[in-house]
Amino acid sequence: MKLREFAKQLGLSPTTVSRALSGYPEVSEATRARVASEAMRLGYRPDINAVRLKTGRAGAIGVMMGRSGEIHFAEFVSGMAQRLETADTDILITPITAHNDDDEIQAYRRLVESRRVDAVIIHSPRPQDPRIEMLNSLGVPFLVHGRSETEHVHAWLDIDNEGAVRRSTEHLLDLGHRRIAMINGLRGKTYSIHREQGFRIAHQERGLIADPNMMVCDKFSDESGFRHARSFLERANAPTAIVAGSTMTALGVYRAIRSLGMTVGRDVSVIAHDDVFPYLTAENMVPSLSTTRSSMRAAGTRCAELTLQLIAGRAADEIHELWPVELILRESTAAPR
């Protein structure tokens, strides 16, 4: 089916249909969704080679996959795929094993200069992230999943990490807990800095001081959750509650509590940030896990949409989205014994 035939069936102009499929921001969301739905129903697909020849685009968005966080990454990319399957845009995943910032910068530079992608999505930024400065200098569209404090203009989508941990900690403090430990994400990342701020602010607002000896930073994994929780709980002045950075971390925390003959929710309360994994749901854990909820897959879908808009010409300084986080209380948190 030719573009003109497809547009005629929809009662739209070929230009509108083309722009809807390419993610142009001036096309309404309702029109874009209708065009995408009808394209799938009728089996319409643009001639990719003709489109790329005409536009000069590679038809791909680049993302880097690091050595940790594979589960979160898989969920994010699954969300991207949901949006891009009707946009004739591929996802180019480049593995990165960089050991320092310079190696990582060069990996991004090689990706952009290869002209295999039209845009790039950056994950887990730092407050002053050199990748943002470099991508700005190359003039390539890019979106930051997270936030940075750099002076360089960048489009971003982030969740309220500070508010998420602040609310979690407030809940535990309101229950009567005073010895609260926190297993945070990787040190130096903006999200982990914001989460620590939320943890400290919750204490400060009640005239308390968060114990720095009760805070650690590490990758999100069952192993790190077990190791750090066990270390905390074997101390003479052990915590009565633990804030875990992810559901994966909480799995390890649960194991550590049980390995010491204690019970989650009764002897030690646990609350975590939950990324709504389809194969690891907080409500199915025993006991069910209290969480702050934010879908990594939904973030992937929205980041893909915003990146398409950047490729289509939308200004980066117009794209700043901060998503609220929902607090869901279940059985893993209770008043201290």
Side-chain angles (χ1 to χ4, degrees), residues 42-119:
L42 297 172
Y44 171 75
R45 298 187 68 83
D47 184 329
I48 299 301
N49 290 328
V51 171
R52 292 176 182 175
L53 184 63
K54 181 179 180 180
T55 63
R57 294 178 182 170
I61 295 172
V63 290
M64 293 282 188
M65 180 177 178
R67 291 170 292 173
S68 61
E70 289 85 358
I71 294 176
H72 297 82
F73 182 82
E75 274 297 285
F76 184 87
V77 170
S78 294
M80 287 184 65
Q82 289 179 358
R83 171 62 186 93
L84 298 178
E85 64 180 348
T86 59
D88 290 302
T89 301
D90 299 324
I91 304 170
L92 180 60
I93 299 174
T94 302
I96 181 170
T97 57
H99 296 282
N100 55 57
D101 286 347
D102 289 339
D103 290 342
E104 187 172 3
I105 287 293
Q106 290 307 312
Y108 276 94
R109 182 180 293 276
R110 285 194 301 272
L111 175 64
V112 173
E113 292 181 344
S114 72
R115 302 181 65 85
R116 293 179 295 162
V117 297
D118 300 310

Side-chain angles (χ1 to χ4, degrees), residues 172 177 179 181 183 222-234 238-244 249-272 285-289 331-334 337:
L172 295 172
H177 293 277
R179 297 192 308 278
I183 305 176
D222 172 84
E223 182 277 331
S224 64
F226 176 84
R227 176 164 41 86
H228 291 301
R230 179 92 186 205
S231 174
F232 285 138
L233 295 171
E234 287 177 336
T240 60
I242 298 176
V243 178
T249 305
L251 278 178
V253 173
Y254 270 42
R255 278 202 302 123
I257 293 170
R258 288 167 179 152
S259 72
L260 294 170
M262 295 186 287
T263 301
V264 176
R266 187 184 69 184
D267 299 304
V268 184
S269 288
V270 181
I271 192 166
M285 294 174 66
V286 181
S288 57
L289 176 65
E331 300 170 332
S332 65
T333 51
R337 296 182 68 183

